[in-house]
Amino acid sequence: MALILDCDGVIVESEDLHREAYNAAFAHFKACIGGKQDVIAWSEEFYDDLQNKVGGGKAKMRWYFGEHGWPCSIMFSEAPKSQEQQTALIDALQEWKSKKFQEIVGSDAEARPGIMRLMDEARQASIKVAVCSAATKSSVIHVVKSLLGEERFEALDVFLAGDDVPAKKPDPSIYTLAAERLGVQPSECLVVEDSAIGLQAAVDAGMRCIITYTYSSHSQRFLGAELIVSDLDAASHPVSIQSLLQSRELFDDRKDSSKPMA
């Protein structure tokens, strides 16, 4: 068996930290669309929807600019028209955003409940552990080392980021590659995800998946997940390696919630 963890939303509840970093990047580059003076700024409501629809930072910006128009900026006085210019802008924004995100994580973030305990339990049970994230590799490394410690990062059997695969989640390629590098069958892998996009990637790769949802993903329909909880230490259903090995009973702690599922 292998335990595979997503990063954003699983190791750290990072949605708003990413949004803050994106908006800081747009402000730094003075990115404005359609000749408007107002710099692009993603609202909390908009970003919640975007991140649960498009995986990967560069893909998010490319989708947004494709829908709303490419911006002028300190790099290009007019909206970039060629593929080369558009790629250059996306790359520059993402690089600056990633550095800003790392600064924010270093000062404001902490690991989600139960995540370090579950990793340590897996190690004690001789279960392989991997981290697979659609985010930029440098950002994921910084998050894991900062929040989980250098020792846990170095002990990972496999570490993959968005840079390592040609397609982002919900494409299953990152999980398929992880199983290959771990030397296990997909059916022997248990994935911890926080979103429907990540769940689809895991299920399409032929893996088991449990969900630790966040505020923004709470209302999603997690079809195919065998366990859905607010976090790994949830009082309603605490999650341990032993419980995951012993049972595959379906459980969703939102059934007692008054908030409707979309």
Side-chain angles (χ1 to χ4, degrees), residues 96-137:
W96 200 94
K97 176 263 175 184
S98 295
K99 291 177 181 178
K100 183 64 177 179
F101 175 73
Q102 291 171 26
E103 291 178 12
I104 297 170
V105 167
S107 59
D108 294 342
E110 59 183 28
R112 291 195 70 191
I115 194 69
M116 288 187 280
R117 172 184 56 76
L118 195 70
M119 293 177 72
D120 293 344
E121 288 177 0
R123 281 273 168 243
Q124 292 166 8
S126 299
I127 292 171
K128 294 180 178 180
V129 180
V131 169
C132 295
S133 171
T136 305
K137 181 169 288 187

Side-chain angles (χ1 to χ4, degrees), residues 116-239:
M116 288 187 280
R117 172 184 56 76
L118 195 70
M119 293 177 72
D120 293 344
E121 288 177 0
R123 281 273 168 243
Q124 292 166 8
S126 299
I127 292 171
K128 294 180 178 180
V129 180
V131 169
C132 295
S133 171
T136 305
K137 181 169 288 187
S138 60
S139 292
V140 184
I141 291 174
H142 183 80
V143 168
V144 176
K145 287 185 175 181
S146 297
L147 302 185
L148 304 185
E150 183 86 26
E151 184 176 348
R152 285 191 182 87
F153 176 77
E154 295 298 336
L156 290 173
D157 295 285
V158 167
F159 166 74
L160 295 173
D163 317 57
D164 296 311
V165 289
K168 309 292 186 185
K169 303 172 187 177
D171 186 279
S173 57
I174 194 167
Y175 287 133
T176 300
L177 179 60
E180 292 175 1
R181 293 193 178 179
L182 286 165
V184 298
Q185 293 299 314
S187 60
E188 298 177 291
C189 297
L190 174 69
V191 177
V192 184
E193 272 284 358
D194 69 297
S195 69
I197 284 178
L199 169 62
Q200 182 181 338
V203 171
D204 287 352
M207 299 179 177
R208 297 170 60 194
C209 186
I210 67 171
I211 293 290
T212 58
Y213 58 81
T214 64
Y215 176 81
S216 68
S217 66
H218 175 284
S219 298
Q220 295 180 14
R221 292 193 182 278
F222 297 115
L223 300 177
E226 61 185 61
L227 182 66
I228 304 167
V229 292
S230 58
D231 62 65
L232 296 172
D233 283 342
S236 60
H237 202 92
V239 180

Side-chain angles (χ1 to χ4, degrees), residues 238-250:
V239 180
S240 68
I241 287 295
Q242 183 177 8
S243 68
L244 293 171
L245 289 173
Q246 290 178 344
S247 174
R248 296 194 183 192
E249 179 183 0
L250 298 179

